[in-house]
Amino acid sequence: MELIDGKKISAEIKDECKEKALRLIRSGKEPCLAVILVGNDPASSIYVNNKKKACEYCNIKSLSYELDENTTEKELLDLIEKLNNDPSVDGILVQLPLPKHIDEDKVFAAIDPLKDVDGFHIKNVGALCIGKPVLVSCTPAGVIELLKRSNVEISGKRCVVIGRSNIVGKPMALLMLSENATVTICHSRTKDLEAVCKEADILIVAIGKPRFIDSKYVKDGAVVIDVGIHRDENNKICGDVNFDDVKEKVSKITPVPGGVGPMTIAMLMSNVITACERK
Ligand code: NAD
């Protein structure tokens, strides 16, 4: 069994972004990400801080907007409009979750697709659907980088994705299709999940249930990618896969922590660079 090292691969990607940012700065285009946080969810504050730190490391300017919990939808949409019209801003990220009185779909739709570094705008999702991805949702884009940089062949392989969320499962399946895998998507109504998963050469798990997938679901020699992040009853971080149970069976696997997790921010940096280069 070989571990797929997300820490190492994400560090490589951030170093590449840093180089590209320097080149952009020399040509007079400083990459810039605007991050908007509404309310004071402690987990969101940590994510936003990590994003700011990654920007600093990669020579990307970051602007931070920390708005009160009671900010109205109109006030948020007005800020997005202002940032859309600001030529010095390349990427706009609205940290999720938003307070209940704000409609997430309206917010995604308001962000200029050229600055949509989370890849959630319908135009970017549509581009991915027709096989012309530009700005792609960061976590699934990170999984593709993990596979490619670990020399996992994707073309022609049977891939099963567990989960059909708009943020992970669906874009993940579309990206694997773009890479010429034969893709099956499983979800909460799938019958005989075990049998379907056992067909997979590459099993990508985004089911949102701690240590749910054990060796019964895994074919001998499969590559397993665990997108899940949870804290277990002992406050230990774990994924959607029961790592200890499957590790003898797989050829390659991502650990949690240190697998998919660090890739998400690295791909965000990469999307900001892409947006700036296209300007
Ligand atoms: P979600 O809850 O929106 O989606 C879970 C999916 O699993 C759903 O589509 C559902 O149909 C499917 N599912 C649920 N029970 C099932 C069952 N019994 N059989 C088959 N399918 C079933 O979650 P999400 O936002 O897509 O996230 C998935 C996981 O990835 C979570 O653990 C989340 O914490 C993690 N995550 C990690 C990162 C990262 O940066 N590494 C980013 C986003 C999400």
Side-chain angles (χ1 to χ4, degrees), residues 64-79:
S64 169
Y65 297 87
E66 282 163 29
L67 309 181
D68 187 84
E69 180 80 28
N70 299 318
T71 302
T72 64
E73 187 176 274
K74 164 121 187 14
E75 283 166 334
L76 177 58
L77 294 175
D78 286 348
L79 172 60

Side-chain angles (χ1 to χ4, degrees), residues 4-256:
I4 297 180
D5 188 345
K7 261 194 184 164
K8 179 169 150 265
I9 295 174
S10 64
E12 279 167 22
I13 292 173
K14 281 192 277 180
D15 283 337
E16 289 162 18
C17 289
K18 189 176 185 173
E19 277 296 307
K20 287 183 186 166
L22 273 179
R23 257 179 270 148
L24 283 162
I25 291 167
R26 282 192 211 110
S27 74
K29 293 204 263 187
E30 185 183 26
C32 170
L33 171 68
V35 180
I36 305 174
L37 173 65
V38 187
N40 33 30
D41 175 50
S44 293
S45 299
I46 295 172
Y47 295 143
V48 163
N49 263 327
N50 289 341
K51 286 167 189 173
K52 280 191 222 164
K53 274 193 220 152
C55 281
E56 215 172 291
Y57 180 81
C58 295
N59 296 314
I60 293 171
K61 182 176 169 186
S62 73
L63 303 174
S64 169
Y65 297 87
E66 282 163 29
L67 309 181
D68 187 84
E69 180 80 28
N70 299 318
T71 302
T72 64
E73 187 176 274
K74 164 121 187 14
E75 283 166 334
L76 177 58
L77 294 175
D78 286 348
L79 172 60
I80 291 171
E81 182 63 18
K82 191 183 109 190
L83 296 168
N84 281 343
N85 293 325
D86 182 341
S88 72
V89 172
D90 300 293
I92 303 169
L93 181 142
V94 179
Q95 183 63 45
L96 299 179
L98 286 167
K100 294 220 163 22
H101 64 277
I102 299 179
D103 180 347
E104 270 179 15
D105 289 336
K106 267 196 198 165
V107 171
F108 298 156
I111 296 172
D112 180 344
L114 297 169
K115 300 188 179 190
D116 168 39
V117 284
D118 256 336
F120 295 161
H121 193 284
I122 280 177
K123 272 201 174 166
N124 284 320
V125 177
L128 174 61
C129 261
I130 60 164
K132 295 188 175 151
V134 184
L135 294 173
V136 178
S137 183
C138 299
T139 303
V143 171
I144 296 290
E145 287 300 321
L146 283 179
L147 291 170
K148 288 191 172 168
R149 291 174 191 241
S150 309
N151 301 314
V152 174
E153 196 176 326
I154 305 175
S155 180
K157 294 289 155 71
R158 297 282 312 248
C159 171
V160 172
V161 178
I162 315 181
R164 59 171 162 186
S165 71
N166 289 333
I167 293 175
V168 186
K170 272 188 218 152
M172 189 70 251
L174 287 165
L175 282 172
M176 291 303 278
L177 186 62
S178 294
E179 298 293 336
N180 301 313
T182 301
V183 184
T184 304
I185 305 175
C186 296
H187 48 79
S188 51
R189 308 283 176 90
T190 295
K191 295 219 167 80
D192 203 355
L193 184 66
E194 228 177 274
V196 181
C197 292
K198 274 212 129 157
E199 299 263 302
D201 302 311
I202 303 172
L203 178 63
I204 304 178
V205 188
I207 192 171
K209 296 182 194 293
R211 298 196 180 103
F212 187 91
I213 296 298
D214 63 20
S215 56
K216 294 195 297 292
Y217 295 81
V218 177
K219 180 168 94 173
D220 271 327
V223 174
V224 174
I225 303 289
D226 187 353
V227 183
I229 310 179
H230 311 275
R231 277 198 187 271
D232 70 8
E233 54 289 353
N234 304 318
N235 210 28
K236 204 177 151 218
I237 294 176
C238 71
D240 288 348
V241 175
N242 186 334
F243 184 92
D244 289 333
D245 197 57
V246 307
K247 69 178 183 213
E248 301 305 337
K249 244 184 154 179
V250 300
S251 60
K252 296 187 186 198
I253 184 167
T254 55
V256 179

